[in-house]
Amino acid sequence: MKRREFIKKSSAGGLLAGGVTTGLISAAPAVHAGTKIKWKMVTTWPKNFPGLGTGANNLARLITEMSGGRLRVKVYGAKELVPAFEVFDAVSRGAAQMGHGAAYYWKGKAPAGQFFAAVPFGMNAQEMNAWLYYGGGEKLWRDLYQRFNVIPAAAGNTGVQMGGWFNREINSVADLKGLKMRIPGLGAEVLKRAGGTPVSLPGGEIYTSLQSGAIDATEWVGPYNDLAFGLYKAAKYYYYPGWHEPGSVLEALVNKKAYEELPKDLQSIVMNACKIVNTDMLAEYTARNNAALHTLISKHKVKLRPFPDDVLKKLAQLSDEVVKEVAAKDKHAQKTYRSFMAFREQVMAWHKVSEQAFLRAREL
Ligand code: CA
């Protein structure tokens, strides 16, 4: 309605201004009245899951709003259209035009995908974005999914996660021996090599497993999501930092054919909406984690503990091995590993004299 009113008003103005302007304006409705396109977005998250699922909702809403409703995106939670781990296939074959998840879920198809999600002791959110947008990372990511007819884009970041909830203290590497911990991805392999027993559990089973003693520890995301899950009721100690997920990137997937069929302006809206959500989610996590951490400590009296340095050093050394083995899986993984590690080394040198130096200076 509003647009129609606007066009009407403009036309009136155009008539006053003369024939040339009127000609331009009479062409405008044809552009605006272009076919309405409907897309489905399947996600690996339960519908409306705080932070991750709501990030997917934001992405769909932004695309719909920014396109003035010309491209409407409807979000489906895990299992609504396809199960979580079939999101990639659904987008690849065009059953859904978009997806939202994380690249480490598809490591069976594309091992190099793990470099675009979470690398233990890898890069934080700011560094990942720098690598993706200005360090060649995004190009490698797109190349990786090309044969699946899928275009990836960063669409969210959790920031540095927490080390997890433990029912026993970790004072030395020896305390990791026999530790049954829910931890996914490359971090799981690292824990295994440190003598622990990684357990794979979906989010919904974490709380009861920790409370019953079926597991000794779990990681999840950070204070915001962990507080909502009530994990503080099932474990005594909350360890930091999340060495295994220093800046997990959430991923938007777009079916290549559906994307190429869009006019240029809608293509730009889709990609820029991903960029907005990528930034917005990190801001949301930073704000909500900081509030939730305060609640966990002041209200629920959670015992916050840093991992001892020698434990972190050992885990870092094992992570090096594990990540190198991912790189050896295929040519693309090798190429991605080299790009990732070269960027990481340089950005570490830069951040040593910028972010890191500033954070230290602020504490003095
Ligand atoms: Ca996690």
Side-chain angles (χ1 to χ4, degrees), residues 111-127:
Q114 296 180 98
F115 290 104
F116 308 103
V119 174
F121 295 94
M123 294 197 270
N124 70 11
Q126 192 177 348
E127 295 163 351

Side-chain angles (χ1 to χ4, degrees), residues 161 182 184 219-221 244-245:
Q161 299 198 0
R182 183 267 176 194
E219 71 82 58
W220 181 225
V221 185
H244 61 302
E245 292 197 68

Side-chain angles (χ1 to χ4, degrees), residues 341-354:
M341 293 310 273
F343 195 90
R344 177 178 176 272
E345 200 182 324
Q346 279 202 355
V347 85
M348 276 171 74
W350 161 235
H351 274 171
K352 201 168 198 150
V353 300
S354 56

